[in-house]
Amino acid sequence: MPTRRELANAIRFLSIDAVQKANSGHPGMPMGMADIAEALWSDYLQHNPANPHWWNRDRFVLSNGHGCMLQYALLHLTGYALTIEDLKQFRQLHSKTPGHPEYGDTPGVETTTGPLGQGLANGVGMAIAEKHLAALFNREGFPIIDHFTYVFAGDGCLMEGISHEVCSLAGTLGLGKLIVFYDDNGISIDGDVQSWFTDDTAQRFAAYHWHVVPQVDGHDSEALKQAIAQAQAVTDKPSLIHCKTVIGWGAPNLAGKAETHGAPLGEKEIAAVREQLHWPYAPFDIPQSFYTAWDARQQGARHEATWQQLFNQYTTAYPELAKELTRRMQRQLPEHWATTAESWVVGVQQKKEPMATRKASQLCLSHYAKILPELFGGSADLTESNCSLWNGAEPFSRNHPTGRYLHYGVREFGMSAILNGMALYGGIIPYAGTFLTFSDYARNAVRLAAIMRQRVIFLYSHDSIGLGEDGPTHQPIEHLPSLRMIPQLSVWRPCDVVESAVAWRKAIEYAGPTCLLLSRQTLPFQERHPRALAAIHRGGYILQEEKAEPDLIFIATGSEVAIAVEAAKLLRGEKLVVRIVSMPSVDTFLAQELTYQQSVLPPNVTKRIVIEAAATEGWYRFVGFEGKVIGVDRFGASAPAKDVFRDCGITVEHVVATAKAMVAKEIA
C-alpha cells in the first residue's frame, strides 16, 4: 500500500500535470498543501462521494481557490463523479474543472471561491447555519445536525479585510465546529510577503477568541493529525491550525519561490520533481493501489447509513421536527405559502397606509417571518435605520443559537459573504440590511451570490437622495444601475407598502439573490385597480391609465412614482393622456413575454419619460432617442430631502415642463 507521503504525492502530480496540460493554473499551493489535505481527507473528513448533498457531511471550503486542482484531485481520488478525463480538461470551456472552484459545476464543491477571503467568510456562514439548525432540531440522543466545517486559507485570504470582519465575528459567536487551516508559506504573487505582511497571525486570531494551534509542520502527517484532533476537541471556539509549508514543495529548483504560484512548472522542472519524489508514473497515471487507498465511497456510505438509521429513529420519535427539517433542507416553502402570501398583498392594499418602504418592508417581514421559520435576518449595525428586525425576533448569539437575528456589526462585506455561506448550507433563507450606498463595500459578495444563484435577500434602505441631510457620501447615485447590471440578480425598488409586499414575496420565491431597495422617507399609498394589483409581480405594470391611447408614458420607480402621479394629474388638466408605468423590478419586467412588455409599453408610443433619482444611463433602452430620463448624474448634497430633490431637478414641475416640451415639439 502507498505511504501517506505517496498518497499526498498523487495530489501533487495530478495538479502539476493538469496545470501543465492546460498551460495555465496554480501548481504551488496544491504542492504545498497536499500533505495537509491528505491528513484531513484520509482520517477526519466525513463525506460520501456518492451523495455530495448528504445533509450531515462535513463541509470543505477551499478559500484560496486558485489552488483548485488540489480539490479536484481529492474529489477524483476519493470517488466523486469526476473522472481523469475531467482533470485533463482543467480550465477548458464548459469542463467540470474550471479555473477556480464553481458551485454547481463540480460535484463536491461547496461554494464558488477565488476572490480571496470570501470562502473563509462562506465557511463562517456555514458554521453559523450548522450551530443554528443543530440548536433547533437536535434532541437528546439524536445529534441529527453534527459535523465540522473545514476551510483552507492562505496568506492572501488573511490579508483581505473580509477575513478580519468574519473571523472577529466567528470568535464572538463561539463557532466551535469551524476549523481553518492557514497555509503559511510566506509567498504570494509578488514574492516574499515579508515586505507587506508581517502580522503575528497566531496572536491576531487569539485576540479574536479563537483556539490556535501554532507552528504546525504542514508536511508532517502525524503533527497534522494531532493538530486536527486538538482542534476538534475545542468546542466553544473556532480553531486556526497554523501550518508552515513550502509553496511548490517537491520542486528541486522552484520550491519556496513565487514562480510556482501561478504558472506551469514546465516540462524540465516537472521531470525533476518526478525524480526528486521518486514518482515513476506518466502524466495522469495513478496506480490502482493509490485509488484503492484513497477511495472513500464505502466509508462514506457507512457514515451516511449510520446517520440515516439515526434519522429514521428521530423521525419516529419527533415526526413533526423531522418533517420540518426535511422541508427546509429540500428548500421547499410551506404548503400554504402561496395563498397566505397572496392574501397578505390584498390585505395591505385595502389598508391604504402611507409609509416609508423601509417601514413597509418591516411590516411585511413581521408577517412573513411568522410563516417562514427559515427566515434568518441581520444588519450591519443599522437595525433601527433599515428596519430589518421583525416583531418578536430574538438575536442569535454564542449562548442563544436558536435566535433568528444576527447583529453583524459594521461588517458589510463579511456579512454578505456569510449570507452566501448560510444559503449554501441550506435550511435557511438569509437576509440582512445596510444602506444602499454601502452595497459598494459588499459588491463582490453580491456578485458571487448571483453567480451561484443562491437565495439571499439583501435589504438596502436609504435608497436615494431622499435620505437628505447625510449628504452625498450616503446618497446612492450609480448603485441602482450597477446592481441591475449584475446577471441573475433581481432588484426591486417598491413605491409603497403593496409593492413592498410583492417584492418580499418574489424575493422569497426567487431561485437566486434579490436586492430590495427601500426609502427612508414616507411615501404615499398608490390606488390600484384589480388588474394593476395582479400585475405587480411582473416587475412593471400600468399603475394608472385612461381609456384613450396615451400621448406619453411616465415610467418611474420607488419614491419617484409619487412624482409621476402628481405630474400626470397636472397634465391631464391640460387634456394630455398620460399612462403611468410603475417598474419596481426592471429584470423581472424584461423576463416577461414580449407581448406583455409591449402591452405596457406600446412600441407606437414613443413619447416616454423615466423618473428615477439615480444615474440615468440604464434607462435609455426604454425611452430611445426621443424619450427623456429625469435622474441624477451628479453627486447629491447635504440638505433636507425636499431641498435635495429640488436641487437635483427631481420635481413635479420639472417633469411637467419636460413633458410639455416633448409634446409641443411633436405638434410643432
Short mmCIF file of all heavy atoms in Angstrom, two decimals, residues 43-62:
data_model
loop_
_atom_site.label_atom_id
_atom_site.label_comp_id
_atom_site.label_asym_id
_atom_site.label_seq_id
_atom_site.Cartn_x
_atom_site.Cartn_y
_atom_site.Cartn_z
N ASP A 43 -8.30 10.86 7.25
CA ASP A 43 -8.58 10.45 8.63
C ASP A 43 -9.74 11.16 9.31
O ASP A 43 -10.22 10.67 10.33
CB ASP A 43 -7.32 10.64 9.48
CG ASP A 43 -6.20 9.71 9.08
OD1 ASP A 43 -6.49 8.60 8.62
OD2 ASP A 43 -5.02 10.10 9.23
N TYR A 44 -10.17 12.29 8.78
CA TYR A 44 -11.13 13.08 9.56
C TYR A 44 -12.39 13.48 8.79
O TYR A 44 -13.47 13.54 9.36
CB TYR A 44 -10.45 14.33 10.12
CG TYR A 44 -9.41 14.01 11.16
CD1 TYR A 44 -8.07 13.94 10.82
CD2 TYR A 44 -9.78 13.74 12.47
CE1 TYR A 44 -7.11 13.61 11.77
CE2 TYR A 44 -8.83 13.42 13.44
CZ TYR A 44 -7.50 13.36 13.08
OH TYR A 44 -6.56 13.04 14.02
N LEU A 45 -12.26 13.83 7.52
CA LEU A 45 -13.40 14.36 6.79
C LEU A 45 -14.49 13.30 6.62
O LEU A 45 -14.24 12.24 6.07
CB LEU A 45 -12.96 14.87 5.42
CG LEU A 45 -13.98 15.74 4.68
CD1 LEU A 45 -14.03 17.14 5.29
CD2 LEU A 45 -13.64 15.84 3.19
N GLN A 46 -15.69 13.61 7.11
CA GLN A 46 -16.82 12.70 6.95
C GLN A 46 -17.67 13.18 5.78
O GLN A 46 -18.26 14.26 5.82
CB GLN A 46 -17.66 12.64 8.23
CG GLN A 46 -16.91 12.00 9.38
CD GLN A 46 -17.84 11.54 10.50
OE1 GLN A 46 -18.98 11.17 10.25
NE2 GLN A 46 -17.35 11.57 11.72
N HIS A 47 -17.71 12.39 4.72
CA HIS A 47 -18.41 12.75 3.49
C HIS A 47 -18.74 11.48 2.75
O HIS A 47 -18.21 10.41 3.05
CB HIS A 47 -17.54 13.67 2.63
CG HIS A 47 -16.26 13.05 2.17
ND1 HIS A 47 -15.94 12.86 0.84
CD2 HIS A 47 -15.19 12.56 2.87
CE1 HIS A 47 -14.74 12.30 0.74
NE2 HIS A 47 -14.26 12.10 1.95
N ASN A 48 -19.61 11.61 1.78
CA ASN A 48 -19.99 10.45 0.96
C ASN A 48 -19.91 10.85 -0.51
O ASN A 48 -20.78 11.55 -1.01
CB ASN A 48 -21.42 9.99 1.30
CG ASN A 48 -21.81 8.74 0.52
OD1 ASN A 48 -21.00 8.17 -0.22
ND2 ASN A 48 -23.06 8.33 0.67
N PRO A 49 -18.86 10.41 -1.20
CA PRO A 49 -18.71 10.79 -2.61
C PRO A 49 -19.92 10.43 -3.48
O PRO A 49 -20.18 11.11 -4.48
CB PRO A 49 -17.47 10.00 -3.05
CG PRO A 49 -16.69 9.81 -1.79
CD PRO A 49 -17.72 9.62 -0.71
N ALA A 50 -20.67 9.41 -3.09
CA ALA A 50 -21.85 9.02 -3.87
C ALA A 50 -23.03 9.96 -3.64
O ALA A 50 -23.98 9.95 -4.42
CB ALA A 50 -22.25 7.59 -3.53
N ASN A 51 -22.97 10.76 -2.59
CA ASN A 51 -24.05 11.70 -2.28
C ASN A 51 -23.44 13.00 -1.76
O ASN A 51 -23.39 13.23 -0.55
CB ASN A 51 -25.03 11.12 -1.26
CG ASN A 51 -26.19 12.07 -0.98
OD1 ASN A 51 -26.39 13.05 -1.69
ND2 ASN A 51 -26.96 11.77 0.06
N PRO A 52 -23.00 13.87 -2.66
CA PRO A 52 -22.35 15.12 -2.23
C PRO A 52 -23.27 16.05 -1.44
O PRO A 52 -22.78 17.00 -0.83
CB PRO A 52 -21.94 15.77 -3.56
CG PRO A 52 -21.90 14.67 -4.55
CD PRO A 52 -22.97 13.72 -4.13
N HIS A 53 -24.58 15.77 -1.43
CA HIS A 53 -25.54 16.64 -0.76
C HIS A 53 -26.07 16.05 0.53
O HIS A 53 -27.06 16.55 1.08
CB HIS A 53 -26.69 16.98 -1.71
CG HIS A 53 -26.24 17.60 -2.99
ND1 HIS A 53 -25.67 18.85 -3.05
CD2 HIS A 53 -26.24 17.13 -4.27
CE1 HIS A 53 -25.36 19.13 -4.31
NE2 HIS A 53 -25.69 18.11 -5.06
N TRP A 54 -25.46 14.99 1.03
CA TRP A 54 -25.85 14.43 2.33
C TRP A 54 -25.82 15.54 3.37
O TRP A 54 -24.84 16.25 3.52
CB TRP A 54 -24.88 13.30 2.69
CG TRP A 54 -24.99 12.79 4.09
CD1 TRP A 54 -26.13 12.60 4.80
CD2 TRP A 54 -23.90 12.38 4.93
NE1 TRP A 54 -25.83 12.11 6.05
CE2 TRP A 54 -24.47 11.96 6.16
CE3 TRP A 54 -22.52 12.33 4.78
CZ2 TRP A 54 -23.69 11.50 7.22
CZ3 TRP A 54 -21.73 11.86 5.83
CH2 TRP A 54 -22.33 11.45 7.03
N TRP A 55 -26.92 15.70 4.11
CA TRP A 55 -27.07 16.85 4.99
C TRP A 55 -25.96 16.95 6.04
O TRP A 55 -25.50 18.05 6.34
CB TRP A 55 -28.40 16.77 5.75
CG TRP A 55 -29.60 16.82 4.89
CD1 TRP A 55 -29.65 17.12 3.55
CD2 TRP A 55 -30.94 16.53 5.28
NE1 TRP A 55 -30.94 17.03 3.09
CE2 TRP A 55 -31.75 16.68 4.13
CE3 TRP A 55 -31.53 16.16 6.49
CZ2 TRP A 55 -33.12 16.47 4.16
CZ3 TRP A 55 -32.90 15.96 6.52
CH2 TRP A 55 -33.69 16.11 5.38
N ASN A 56 -25.58 15.81 6.62
CA ASN A 56 -24.68 15.87 7.77
C ASN A 56 -23.22 15.67 7.39
O ASN A 56 -22.39 15.31 8.23
CB ASN A 56 -25.09 14.84 8.83
CG ASN A 56 -24.56 15.20 10.20
OD1 ASN A 56 -24.67 16.35 10.64
ND2 ASN A 56 -23.97 14.25 10.90
N ARG A 57 -22.89 15.90 6.13
CA ARG A 57 -21.49 15.81 5.73
C ARG A 57 -20.68 16.96 6.36
O ARG A 57 -21.22 18.02 6.66
CB ARG A 57 -21.38 15.91 4.21
CG ARG A 57 -21.74 17.29 3.68
CD ARG A 57 -21.90 17.29 2.17
NE ARG A 57 -22.22 18.63 1.65
CZ ARG A 57 -23.44 19.15 1.61
NH1 ARG A 57 -24.46 18.45 2.10
NH2 ARG A 57 -23.64 20.35 1.11
N ASP A 58 -19.41 16.74 6.54
CA ASP A 58 -18.51 17.86 6.84
C ASP A 58 -18.43 18.75 5.61
O ASP A 58 -18.40 18.25 4.47
CB ASP A 58 -17.10 17.35 7.18
CG ASP A 58 -17.03 16.68 8.55
OD1 ASP A 58 -17.88 16.99 9.42
OD2 ASP A 58 -16.13 15.83 8.74
N ARG A 59 -18.40 20.04 5.84
CA ARG A 59 -18.21 20.97 4.72
C ARG A 59 -16.72 21.27 4.56
O ARG A 59 -16.04 21.52 5.55
CB ARG A 59 -18.97 22.27 4.96
CG ARG A 59 -20.41 22.32 4.43
CD ARG A 59 -21.28 21.21 4.91
NE ARG A 59 -22.69 21.44 4.56
CZ ARG A 59 -23.67 20.67 4.95
NH1 ARG A 59 -23.43 19.60 5.72
NH2 ARG A 59 -24.92 20.92 4.60
N PHE A 60 -16.27 21.24 3.31
CA PHE A 60 -14.87 21.58 3.00
C PHE A 60 -14.86 22.74 2.02
O PHE A 60 -15.45 22.66 0.93
CB PHE A 60 -14.14 20.39 2.38
CG PHE A 60 -12.74 20.72 1.94
CD1 PHE A 60 -11.70 20.82 2.85
CD2 PHE A 60 -12.46 20.97 0.60
CE1 PHE A 60 -10.41 21.14 2.45
CE2 PHE A 60 -11.18 21.30 0.18
CZ PHE A 60 -10.15 21.39 1.11
N VAL A 61 -14.21 23.83 2.41
CA VAL A 61 -14.18 25.05 1.60
C VAL A 61 -12.73 25.40 1.29
O VAL A 61 -11.90 25.54 2.19
CB VAL A 61 -14.85 26.22 2.34
CG1 VAL A 61 -14.73 27.50 1.53
CG2 VAL A 61 -16.32 25.91 2.62
N LEU A 62 -12.45 25.55 0.00
CA LEU A 62 -11.11 25.95 -0.44
C LEU A 62 -11.13 27.46 -0.69
O LEU A 62 -11.42 27.92 -1.79
CB LEU A 62 -10.74 25.20 -1.72
CG LEU A 62 -9.27 25.30 -2.15
CD1 LEU A 62 -8.39 24.44 -1.26
CD2 LEU A 62 -9.13 24.88 -3.60
#
